Amino acid sequence: MSLEKATFAAGCFWGVEHIYKKHFNQFGIRTKVGYTGGHVDDPDYRKVCSGLTNHAEALEIEFDPTKVSFDTLVEFFYKMHDPTTKNAQGPDVGTQYRSAIFYHTPEQKSVAEKVTAQVQEKHYKGKQIVTEIVPAGKFYDAEEYHQEYLQKNPHGYECPTHFLRW
């Protein structure tokens, strides 16, 4: 079995991880949250929240493409957050909360662009999707307490911006 990686940023990484696991765990995905897309080595939560590193809070998914396609993961990405808000999701504001697809292969880039165009046409005719589609760079794992945070803390912070829109 050859696993592939998908990396998405869509606001608070707790909520992104939680909703992907809720909907795709049956396909055997593996997830971890972390930081990517910035210009500082070894960022931590405090540095990323400062806005000075330009990292995004992101989710890295390992998946078996024979069980779930990258197309499906990208379409779901657009369903579970608002891709028309720049550097914000609900109450979370800053570059670390931007909407981004970090592609790992030229094929992923092509799929991301195709699905984005389809979603724009079908669901966001009156608003522009601002999601970045950029090459995946170094991914830094977030601190352990962030991993599967909402599973470990079911009565903790809810990420109200992560729900299925259509």
Side-chain angles (χ1 to χ4, degrees), residues 67-86:
K67 294 181 179 178
V68 62
S69 69
F70 183 69
D71 297 61
T72 298
L73 296 173
V74 172
E75 184 173 340
F76 186 80
F77 164 82
Y78 283 114
K79 284 182 183 180
M80 54 76 57
H81 82 295
D82 183 352
T84 67
T85 57
K86 185 153 179 78

Side-chain angles (χ1 to χ4, degrees), residues 117-129:
Q118 291 169 344
V119 169
Q120 177 71 61
E121 176 64 26
K122 188 172 182 180
H123 299 286
Y124 293 101
K125 286 187 180 182
K127 292 174 108 178
Q128 185 62 42
I129 289 176

Side-chain angles (χ1 to χ4, degrees), residues 108-122:
Q108 283 189 352
K109 178 183 182 191
S110 178
V111 166
E113 291 171 342
K114 175 189 78 166
V115 172
T116 300
Q118 291 169 344
V119 169
Q120 177 71 61
E121 176 64 26
K122 188 172 182 180

Side-chain angles (χ1 to χ4, degrees), residues 46-60:
R46 182 184 55 74
K47 289 177 188 171
V48 171
C49 286
S50 76
L52 299 176
T53 71
N54 202 41
H55 285 88
E57 287 192 15
L59 174 68
E60 186 176 89

Side-chain angles (χ1 to χ4, degrees), residues 7-144:
T7 306
F8 302 110
C12 169
F13 52 19
W14 296 344
V16 178
E17 181 180 46
H18 185 72
I19 198 166
Y20 266 99
K21 287 184 83 72
K22 179 179 176 182
H23 290 274
F24 292 98
N25 237 13
Q26 72 269 25
F27 299 109
I29 66 167
R30 291 186 231 157
T31 64
K32 62 181 175 178
V33 296
Y35 316 109
T36 194
H39 57 268
V40 173
D41 290 335
D42 298 316
D44 60 29
Y45 187 68
R46 182 184 55 74
K47 289 177 188 171
V48 171
C49 286
S50 76
L52 299 176
T53 71
N54 202 41
H55 285 88
E57 287 192 15
L59 174 68
E60 186 176 89
I61 301 170
E62 283 190 330
F63 67 100
D64 179 345
T66 66
K67 294 181 179 178
V68 62
S69 69
F70 183 69
D71 297 61
T72 298
L73 296 173
V74 172
E75 184 173 340
F76 186 80
F77 164 82
Y78 283 114
K79 284 182 183 180
M80 54 76 57
H81 82 295
D82 183 352
T84 67
T85 57
K86 185 153 179 78
N87 298 329
Q89 287 298 309
D92 298 322
V93 177
T95 57
Q96 70 270 30
Y97 300 118
R98 67 188 178 270
S99 176
I101 299 170
F102 298 92
Y103 61 86
H104 294 267
T105 65
E107 293 77 23
Q108 283 189 352
K109 178 183 182 191
S110 178
V111 166
E113 291 171 342
K114 175 189 78 166
V115 172
T116 300
Q118 291 169 344
V119 169
Q120 177 71 61
E121 176 64 26
K122 188 172 182 180
H123 299 286
Y124 293 101
K125 286 187 180 182
K127 292 174 108 178
Q128 185 62 42
I129 289 176
V130 296
T131 301
E132 298 175 2
I133 300 173
V134 294
K138 177 103 170 113
F139 185 92
Y140 298 93
D141 293 358
E143 297 78 2
E144 182 55 36

